[in-house]
Amino acid sequence: MSETIYDVPAAWAKKAHLNDAKYKKMYAASIKDPDKFWGEQGKRIDWFKPYTKVRNASYKPGKVSIKWYEDGTTNVAYNCVDRHLATRAKQTAIIWEGDDPSESKKITYGQLYTEVCKFANVLKANGVKKGDRVTIYMPMIPEAAYAMLACARIGAVHSIVFGGFSPDSLSGRIEGATSDVVITADEGLRGGRKVPLKVNVDAAAEKVPVKTVIVVKRTGGDVAMKEGRDVWYHEEAAKVSGHCPPAEMKAEDPLFILYTSGSTGKPKGVLHTTGGYLVYAAITHQYVFDYHDGDIYWCTADVGWVTGHSYIVYGPLANGATTLMFEGIPTYPSISRFWDVVDKHKVNTFYTAPTAIRSLMGAGEEPVKRTKRKSLRLLGSVGEPINPEAWEWYHRVVGDRRCPIVDTWWQTETGGILITPLPGATKLKPGSATRPFFGVKPEIVDAEGKVLEGATEGNLVLAESWPGQMRTVYGDHKRFEETYFATYPNKYFTGDGCRRDADGYYWITGRVDDVINVSGHRMGTAEVESALVAHPKVSEAAVVGYPHDIKGQGIYAYVTLMSGEMPSEALRKELVGHVRKEIGPIASPDLIQFSPGLPKTRSGKIMRRILRKIAEDEFGALGDTSTLADPAVVEDLIANRQNKR
Ligand code: 6R9
């Protein structure tokens, strides 16, 4: 653990919304009287009918129910677009930077209004009504944001599926959300390569019924259009008006579903609602990134992940910010691309993932240093723990020692950032997410649920509700309660391990469940296992994570073949290809070990603890193996473990 402490730069202490004393005062107030604190903060968005109730949340076993601002009505698109028109119609809302550096454009709030209204009218004309679920499978083009806001405008619920997911994953999510409309593009473009989005939608639609596919033209590539099902967006848009009244939504009406991996079973549809989510996205965007009018803000995430929802689209636009949307990848056309884009658009705030930093670090300082980056004032990190070496490099090389780094801890489930430095207020320790945001009450508990005080380490739970919290697992409230509220009654269990130091700073140590974090993407080991065993030559599979220099964690798969099948390099490749096809490239196993048997208890449970240790090369510390049905299996696993280098 790093012991270095970075003080708040003097310039920041003066200019920022918050200093340390203000943070402490507001934090104390938010915990002492949450109704008062959030009652006031709720006013940062416009309401059609004001709320009189603020918080109504219970974590009681069997009765978990979370409601915020429940009697108020509003509209998210109205708040992200219409209400800015009086003062910002000519201000840039979205800077779009294409995969090819010669392509970029700026969309003003005035233009955004027209585009969102048109998209909303196209949805309506194609039969989409309030409450309907719309699946969005799009590249990073402005139309993705228009589509999200168009759904919000008419009260439809969007479910975005990351463009890197396979047709199988897509069809599962279309089915899970019972959505019969899909919005996509002909093709995506990333790093100069085409992504066959429409082809994938066609394949997904063979497995689940889809009534309408709305296709945005991006590359102009040749795609098949199915009569009666597929329509071109530009043809539909030409027929509709540029005005569409925003639907009056209750605060607790659903805004979106976003599928995310858990430790068991299929991905869960995390449901977020309207009022509380937007208030929370807006307040965190303002304070964590110390947003001021005129800032150029860039979050490099994809809208297919929660970070793209809250911190490319909803938070920044609710605050009337200028948000940059990037279609490409950090290494195309050169490894300086991020910094070239920073210089081109004079980006002030830059928010990315540790995996990107680590991979760029590998190419050395020159590709960074040959750019200016003079506009940068603040750097951010999200998605996985950032190791102190990567933090220091980000700080020294990218930020020229001038820019604070906000290491923001949060989850798809939390809707917004929960533990984070505030740049004008918080001294930084590389590798620590530091302190809780307003209204957030983290606790560290032991395996039995005992709350541990002071400097300690254990499992991270949250004792209080906050407005951005997920409300349920779509269509499965029981699963919601069991996943998050059953382990430690009356608390929300995060699934993360955490250390708190003597200064009260929090250090997230990683998942304590069967979720692995590969390049900042959450992957359930069970999902990868079920893809592997779906292959006809595989009898059994167990998947664990292992430390990976760039990805944070890599995917290590132990595979037992059907009798008569022989291990081979060709089969290894075939299995990797199979998982890519079933789930998507982000789930590709990095290492596959063919093993004649897996370590099991006498009752037949796979002992993952042992598999994890072997994958981590820590087989000196296997712990108690006396409950194993066949201890000899372990010797074989150790002898044949895969080389990480
Ligand atoms: C926003 C997002 C959530 C999981 C979370 C944790 C890990 C995210 C982190 C971090 C350490 C940070 N995580 N941010 N770990 N430090 N700053 O990433 O959501 O995709 O749902 O992942 O990511 O393990 O539980 P999601």
Side-chain angles (χ1 to χ4, degrees), residues 91-296:
Q91 183 203 306
T92 302
I94 298 176
I95 299 175
W96 177 73
E97 170 75 15
D99 186 54
D100 185 324
S102 69
E103 270 194 289
S104 62
K105 62 180 165 188
K106 293 183 176 166
I107 297 113
T108 64
Y109 274 95
Q111 290 164 331
L112 184 62
Y113 171 83
T114 309
E115 296 291 350
V116 170
C117 286
K118 279 197 176 170
F119 217 122
N121 284 329
V122 168
L123 292 178
K124 278 189 179 171
N126 281 277
V128 179
K129 291 182 295 295
K130 189 170 177 171
D132 289 353
R133 278 82 46 216
V134 174
T135 300
I136 300 179
Y137 185 65
M138 287 274 265
M140 285 290 287
I141 54 177
E143 285 79 1
Y146 306 159
M148 293 165 77
L149 292 162
C151 288
R153 193 162 192 90
I154 64 170
V157 183
H158 60 70
S159 166
I160 307 190
V161 180
F162 173 58
F165 277 120
S166 70
D168 275 358
S169 297
L170 175 61
S171 68
R173 285 157 169 80
I174 294 173
E175 191 173 28
T178 52
S179 144
D180 50 25
V181 177
V182 179
I183 303 171
T184 190
D186 47 3
E187 294 169 312
L189 203 54
R190 293 186 81 235
R193 283 196 219 155
K194 289 178 177 167
V195 186
L197 296 173
K198 175 63 167 63
V199 168
N200 288 352
V201 171
D202 291 342
E206 287 188 0
K207 302 204 165 170
V208 287
V210 173
K211 270 196 208 138
T212 309
V213 181
I214 300 172
V215 188
V216 175
K217 189 171 260 184
R218 165 62 187 106
T219 62
D222 204 12
V223 293
M225 297 291 278
K226 188 171 170 189
E227 187 68 38
R229 187 194 68 184
D230 303 349
V231 295
W232 282 109
Y233 177 72
H234 61 272
E235 289 176 4
E236 297 295 294
K239 299 179 208 160
V240 298
S241 119
H243 294 285
C244 170
E248 181 170 354
M249 304 302 290
K250 296 197 189 98
E252 285 300 336
D253 280 339
L255 176 64
F256 67 84
I257 299 167
L258 183 57
Y259 281 84
T260 192
S261 295
S263 45
T264 54
K266 286 191 199 162
K268 295 180 285 277
V270 168
L271 184 91
H272 282 288
T273 58
T274 297
Y277 170 80
L278 192 65
V279 168
Y280 200 75
I283 184 177
T284 47
H285 173 262
Q286 183 197 340
Y287 287 130
V288 176
F289 301 108
D290 195 58
Y291 170 73
H292 286 83
D293 274 351
D295 282 356
I296 307 289

Side-chain angles (χ1 to χ4, degrees), residues 307 383-385 407-412 496 508 511 517 522:
T307 307
E384 48 175 322
D407 174 3
T408 64
W409 174 83
W410 60 296
Q411 312 178 300
T412 306
D496 280 317
I508 309 297
R511 302 290 303 194
N517 193 324
R522 264 166 81 165

Side-chain angles (χ1 to χ4, degrees), residues 5 17 44 92 138 161 201 230 243 255 257 316 327 387 410 461 469 513 538 579 630:
I5 297 182
H17 292 296
R44 61 173 54 241
T92 302
M138 287 274 265
V161 180
V201 171
D230 303 349
H243 294 285
L255 176 64
I257 299 167
E327 186 183 37
N387 47 310
W410 60 296
V461 301
Q469 184 169 25
D513 53 11
V538 174
V579 174
D630 177 10

Side-chain angles (χ1 to χ4, degrees), residues 2 40 61 129 161 216 223 261 282 307-308 350 435 460 466 568 602 618 640:
S2 164
E40 280 161 15
K129 291 182 295 295
V161 180
V216 175
V223 293
S261 295
T307 307
F350 178 76
R435 305 188 292 194
L460 181 65
W466 63 98
S568 69
R602 289 187 191 92
E618 288 191 16
N640 293 304

